[in-house]
């Protein structure tokens, strides 16, 4: 429904679109932990269909923007307080995503770029927007900071403790 809202409202400012896609990506990450990525696989198939079957450049661009939001949510190992997941859950979700989905997304974007390069028109600005989005996705994937599955729980707990200390504002006057 959120994606339909973004796609059907052509007057939305880019900041609103970005925020809506970020919220959907957070929801996808939470659901990813519950269903081991089944809903994400369905979403990626929908996105793939939107990229390859739609003739509307806006739909293709939004599809890439959604992939970028998902990648940014899963690459982030810093806990978002409003997501209400522990660091352990964040690390687990990221590791599962790396193993199951990252290569599929990379292949999807390579296929999309191959299709785009076959029809690239230098006078069509939408082609360059799509190319730029594809390159950004590839950059995110190729510069991905992988985590090891063998991170001891005590390190995760220490990281969580340090992060909680840093996030608490000091209310004392200096």
């Amino acid at each position: 429904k959120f994606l339909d809202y973004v796609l059907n409202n052509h007057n939305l400012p880019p900041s609103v679109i970005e925020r809506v896609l970020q919220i959907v990506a957070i929801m996808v990450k939470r659901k990813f932990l519950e269903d081991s990525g089944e809903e994400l696989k369905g979403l990626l198939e929908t996105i793939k269909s939107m990229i390859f079957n739609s003739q509307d450049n806006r739909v293709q661009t939004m599809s890439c923007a959604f992939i970028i939001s998902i990648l940014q949510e899963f690459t982030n190992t810093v806990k978002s307080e409003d997501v209400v997941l522990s660091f352990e859950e964040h690390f687990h979700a990221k590791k599962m995503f790396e193993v199951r989905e990252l290569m599929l997304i990379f292949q999807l974007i390579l296929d999309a770029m191959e299709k785009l390069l076959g029809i690239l028109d230098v006078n069509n600005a939408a082609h360059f927007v799509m190319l730029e989005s594809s390159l950004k996705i590839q950059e995110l994937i190729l510069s991905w900071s992988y985590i090891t599955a063998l991170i001891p729980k005590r390190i995760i707990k220490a990281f969580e403790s340090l992060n909680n200390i840093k996030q608490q504002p000091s209310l004392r006057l200096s």
Side-chain angles (χ1 to χ4, degrees):
K1 292 183 180 187
F2 289 111
L3 294 177
D4 290 336
Y5 175 75
V6 169
L7 289 172
N8 295 327
N9 289 299
H10 297 276
N11 298 336
L12 288 176
S15 60
V16 172
I17 293 170
E18 183 178 319
R19 189 64 173 162
V20 169
L21 293 178
Q22 180 187 17
I23 290 168
V24 173
I26 290 169
M27 293 166 53
V28 165
K29 186 175 184 179
R30 290 187 57 96
K31 187 70 172 173
F32 186 81
L33 287 168
E34 294 172 12
D35 70 358
S36 297
E38 290 305 313
E39 186 168 320
L40 179 58
K41 284 181 184 176
L43 275 171
L44 289 175
E45 284 300 317
T46 301
I47 289 170
K48 182 178 182 177
S49 174
M50 289 166 58
I51 289 173
F52 288 105
N53 300 331
S54 177
Q55 299 304 316
D56 184 358
N57 294 325
R58 187 173 188 279
V59 170
Q60 293 172 334
T61 303
M62 286 296 155
S63 299
C64 286
F66 185 53
I67 290 174
I68 290 169
S69 294
I70 290 172
L71 288 171
Q72 287 173 338
E73 184 59 34
F74 278 95
T75 193
N76 193 3
T77 54
V78 177
K79 182 179 155 191
S80 306
E81 289 300 322
D82 56 344
V83 179
V84 194
L85 295 175
S86 68
F87 275 103
E88 192 171 348
E89 290 170 315
H90 278 272
F91 284 121
H92 181 67
K94 181 177 180 178
K95 187 62 186 170
M96 280 184 5
F97 182 80
E98 289 172 359
V99 170
R100 297 180 185 171
E101 310 301 333
L102 200 56
M103 187 61 162
L104 295 173
I105 293 172
F106 187 68
Q107 187 61 52
L108 166 71
I109 294 305
L110 283 177
D111 293 344
M113 283 192 69
E114 183 179 2
K115 178 185 175 195
L116 180 63
L117 290 174
I119 61 167
L120 188 63
D121 176 10
V122 293
N123 297 320
N124 188 341
H127 285 178
F128 286 105
V129 170
M130 184 67 179
L131 187 62
E132 181 182 34
S133 297
S134 298
L135 289 171
K136 183 172 183 177
I137 292 169
Q138 287 182 350
E139 179 185 8
L140 282 169
I141 293 172
L142 292 173
S143 62
W144 191 269
S145 59
Y146 289 89
I147 60 170
T148 177
L150 304 173
I151 295 177
K153 289 188 180 195
R154 70 180 194 284
I155 292 176
I156 294 173
K157 295 293 183 197
F159 186 63
E160 194 168 34
S161 296
L162 283 173
N163 193 49
N164 286 339
I165 289 170
K166 287 180 185 177
Q167 289 181 356
Q168 301 302 323
S170 174
L171 298 177
R172 298 181 199 163
L173 297 173
S174 55

